[in-house]
Structures are given as structure tokens and as C-alpha cells.
């Protein structure tokens, strides 16, 4: 192993992109860290935990009421006599 190895080197796939260099200890550490982070994020996504947990959201509850239950309507009065 040469001490002058760069952390990044050009990709051998004919593109102008750079890739981690496993011959450099820092490049090898970056490869391992990247794999561990990606694996952990995928597990969190699959199990829907951590920052990927769904919001519980508010649950529905009926509005408060002051009416007695069961509601009994008042007796109807006759308009002519005023008696039920």
C-alpha cells in the first residue's frame, strides 16, 4: 500500500466521476460508513420508525354538548287553548 494513494480516484467505467479508493484507509472507512448508513436508513424506512414514523394525527371525538341524553322534547301546546 502506497502512502500517496488518493482518497478519491477516477472511475474506471469511462465517466468523469470519482469513486472512493479502497487502497487508502480513509477511502475504505468512507466505503464502510456509507454501507452502514444506507443499511440503517433502509431498515428505518422498512419498519417506519424514527424520523420515518407516521404522524399519529388527531383522533375524532364528538363535540361537547350540554343537552341531557336521551333528549326528551318538551310537551306540545295547543295554540288555541294553550294546554297540552
Amino acid at each position: 500500500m502506497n502512502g500517496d494513494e488518493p482518497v478519491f480516484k477516477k472511475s474506471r467505467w469511462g465517466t468523469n466521476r470519482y469513486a472512493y479508493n479502497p487502497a487508502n484507509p480513509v477511502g475504505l472507512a468512507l466505503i464502510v460508513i456509507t454501507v452502514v448508513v444506507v443499511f440503517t436508513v433502509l431498515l428505518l424506512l422498512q419498519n417506519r420508525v424514527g424520523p420515518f414514523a407516521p404522524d399519529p394525527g388527531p383522533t375524532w371525538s364528538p363535540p361537547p354538548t350540554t343537552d341531557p341524553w336521551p333528549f326528551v322534547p318538551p310537551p306540545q301546546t295547543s295554540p288555541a287553548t294553550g294546554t297540552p
Side-chain angles (χ1 to χ4, degrees), residues 12-75:
R12 289 185 271 172
W13 291 3
T15 63
N16 286 331
R17 296 184 179 184
Y18 284 86
Y20 296 136
N21 184 4
N24 186 315
V26 174
L28 184 61
L30 288 173
I31 291 171
V32 171
I33 290 169
T34 301
V35 170
V36 168
V37 167
V38 168
F39 183 73
T40 303
V41 168
L42 288 175
L43 278 176
L44 290 174
L45 276 168
Q46 180 181 2
N47 295 325
R48 300 184 78 182
V49 295
F52 308 108
D55 291 332
T59 57
W60 183 84
S61 62
T65 181
T66 57
D67 295 335
W69 191 85
F71 178 70
V72 178

